[in-house]
Amino acid sequence: MGIVLDRKELIKYPFLKESQQLARRHVESLEEFLGSSPGVAALERAKERVVAALTFKKEFGDENTQNLKPEIEIASYAIARMLVSCINDRSLVDRLARYEAERASFFLAADEPEIRRFVAWSVGIDTGAVAMPVIRYVELVPHLRDRRWRLVNREIRQGGVNLEAGEIDELIRERIRAIIADQLPLRVPAGICERLAPVTGEIVALRQQQVLEQFGEIKEEAFPPCISALIQAITAGTNLTHMGRFAITSFLHTIGMNVAQIAEVFARAPDFDPDMTMYQVEHISGRGGTEYTPPSCATMRTFGLCTNRDRDCERVSHPLSYYRLKKNIKKKRN
Ligand code: SF4
C-alpha cells in the first residue's frame, strides 16, 4: 500500500513493522541503550505502559510522550513487551496486548481515512468491508465475549458474514490485540531480564497488591465446597480428572497463589510427582501461553465436580463468587 507514515504517526502504532524498523535504526545494542539516558527514559515509559495496562488506564491522549523522541517512544513499546516477557505471567501479557490494541484503536478513530486503511491493511483487514468470509471471521472472533459475535447470531450471505457499522473497528482492535498477544512472551536473554529486574520487581509487587485487593489474603476455610472436595480428593490420593486438576489449579492461581504454593497443595497427595505437577500447574496458570480462568458452577456441574453444595451456593454462579462471598461473611462476623 503506497503510504508512508511519519515518525509522529508511527508512535501511535508501534507494533507496525515500519515503527519497529525506526526504533531498530536507533537502538544498535540493547545493553548499551538501557544504560544511556534515552534508554532510561524509554524504560520509564515502558513501565508506564505496563502499569497503565495493569490498572486499565484509558487516557491515551494524555500520555506523557511530548518530551520523548518518536524512536524512544517506540522503543518503550518494545521494552514493555520485554518486561512482561521477563515476568512471564500470562495475565500480564494479555493485559498489555489489550492495552496496546485499545490505545491504537483510540488513535485510529481520529486518524485520516488513508492512515486507518493502512494500519488495518497491515493487520490484514479491509476497512471498507461490509462482509467477511466465514473462515476469516471465525479466525478473528474467538476471544470476543459478546454473544453477538457468535456465528449462530450472525447473518451470513453467500459465504460472507455481514458486518454492522462500526464492527470493523472492533475487529481491527481485536486483530491488533491477537497479533501482539501471539508474539508474547518474547525470548529475552537472561542478562537483559536481570538488568530489568528492578522494574519487573515493581510491576510484580503491583500485580500482587491488585490480587490481594481483589481477593484478600488466601483463606482456605472460605473455599467453595467443590474446591475443598478436590483438595480432599488429592489428600486421599484419588486421581483427579483433567477437568478436576484444571478447576483447582485455575481457581488457586486466580485467588493469588503462586506456582510453588499450588504445587504444595498437590504435594498433599501420597503419590505426589513434583515434575509432572510443576509442569501441569505452570501450564494451567499461564506459563504455557494462555491463562485459563476457573470454570463456572454450570461447567463444574457438567463435569460432575459440583459436590457438597451448601446454602451459600444458591447465591452464586461461580466458585470465585462463592469464595468472595464467604470471605465477606467471615469478615463481618469477626
Ligand atoms: S454451586 Fe458452584 S461453588 Fe457451590 S459447590 Fe457447586 S460449583 Fe462449587
Side-chain angles (χ1 to χ4, degrees):
M1 215 181 202
I3 175 168
V4 179
L5 299 192
D6 69 26
R7 292 152 77 237
K8 285 240 160 73
E9 296 296 342
L10 289 176
I11 64 173
K12 300 179 198 165
Y13 314 111
F15 50 87
L16 292 178
K17 102 176 164 299
E18 292 79 359
S19 309
Q20 294 301 305
Q21 283 163 352
L22 177 69
R24 238 176 264 133
R25 279 204 295 277
H26 197 79
V27 180
E28 280 177 11
S29 150
L30 186 56
E31 283 273 357
E32 276 175 31
F33 178 68
L34 287 172
S36 68
S37 60
V40 170
L43 177 56
E44 187 56 32
R45 173 80 186 110
K47 185 175 90 177
E48 268 176 34
R49 289 185 110 102
V50 179
V51 169
L54 253 182
T55 52
F56 302 102
K57 205 173 159 203
K58 299 254 162 88
E59 292 91 39
F60 305 111
D62 300 341
E63 291 164 337
N64 185 23
T65 58
Q66 288 86 343
N67 300 327
L68 291 184
K69 281 184 175 175
E71 296 85 349
I72 306 301
E73 169 66 15
I74 293 167
S76 79
Y77 163 79
I79 297 172
R81 299 196 316 152
M82 288 180 208
L83 289 172
V84 298
S85 299
C86 290
I87 296 169
N88 199 15
D89 175 331
R90 193 68 212 177
S91 64
L92 201 51
V93 163
D94 287 341
R95 291 230 198 147
L96 183 67
R98 200 166 292 280
Y99 168 80
E100 292 294 347
E102 283 177 3
R103 179 180 181 275
S105 182
F106 170 86
F107 290 121
L108 267 183
D111 243 331
E112 305 291 327
E114 66 270 23
I115 294 179
R116 289 186 69 237
R117 257 198 307 279
F118 175 74
V119 175
W121 170 82
S122 302
V123 297
I125 293 184
D126 172 7
T127 48
V130 290
M132 187 173 275
V134 172
I135 294 179
R136 179 75 181 129
Y137 178 85
V138 169
E139 281 169 0
L140 281 173
V141 301
H143 294 281
L144 292 174
R145 294 216 178 120
D146 198 315
R147 296 168 70 89
R148 82 186 139 97
W149 294 108
R150 292 198 194 154
L151 201 54
V152 290
N153 297 330
R154 307 298 305 196
E155 195 184 332
I156 301 174
R157 272 205 211 128
Q158 296 174 334
V161 179
N162 285 352
L163 298 172
E164 302 287 331
E167 286 189 335
I168 205 78
D169 294 336
E170 292 178 70
L171 290 176
I172 295 169
R173 183 177 61 219
E174 171 56 14
R175 181 70 189 130
I176 294 171
R177 186 206 63 74
I179 289 174
I180 296 173
D182 286 349
Q183 292 166 345
L184 295 172
L186 307 170
R187 282 198 199 149
V188 186
I192 297 290
C193 284
E194 255 169 55
R195 184 150 204 163
L196 299 175
V199 177
T200 52
E202 282 180 50
I203 294 167
V204 169
L206 176 63
R207 176 85 186 107
Q208 280 168 351
Q209 188 193 332
Q210 276 188 332
V211 173
L212 217 64
E213 276 166 15
Q214 200 185 356
F215 290 105
E217 264 177 70
I218 293 158
K219 291 236 186 296
E220 204 163 324
E221 60 274 23
F223 283 2
C226 48
I227 297 295
S228 300
L230 286 169
I231 293 177
Q232 273 168 20
I234 291 171
T235 313
T238 310
N239 259 337
L240 297 189
T241 58
H242 172 74
M243 191 57 176
R245 282 196 303 275
F246 171 71
I248 187 162
T249 306
S250 53
F251 176 87
L252 297 177
H253 173 68
T254 307
I255 63 166
M257 278 195 181
N258 61 32
V259 171
Q261 288 170 316
I262 300 171
E264 265 175 39
V265 173
F266 282 89
R268 299 175 192 183
D271 60 347
F272 172 59
D273 175 345
D275 290 340
M276 177 56 87
T277 302
M278 287 307 273
Y279 170 78
Q280 290 184 338
V281 170
E282 287 196 339
H283 178 73
I284 294 171
S285 54
R287 297 266 161 108
T290 306
E291 186 179 36
Y292 299 95
T293 42
S296 64
C297 294
T299 309
M300 294 288 274
R301 267 194 295 279
T302 306
F303 284 85
L305 295 170
C306 171
T307 40
N308 305 340
R309 275 173 67 98
D310 62 18
R311 270 175 41 211
D312 292 321
C313 285
E314 306 298 329
R315 301 166 65 187
V316 301
S317 59
H318 202 290
L320 285 172
S321 315
Y322 182 103
Y323 180 61
R324 266 197 219 103
L325 172 77
K326 204 72 178 207
K327 279 189 78 174
N328 284 338
I329 294 172
K330 285 183 184 295
K331 207 159 138 193
K332 277 184 198 145
R333 276 194 199 135
N334 292 336

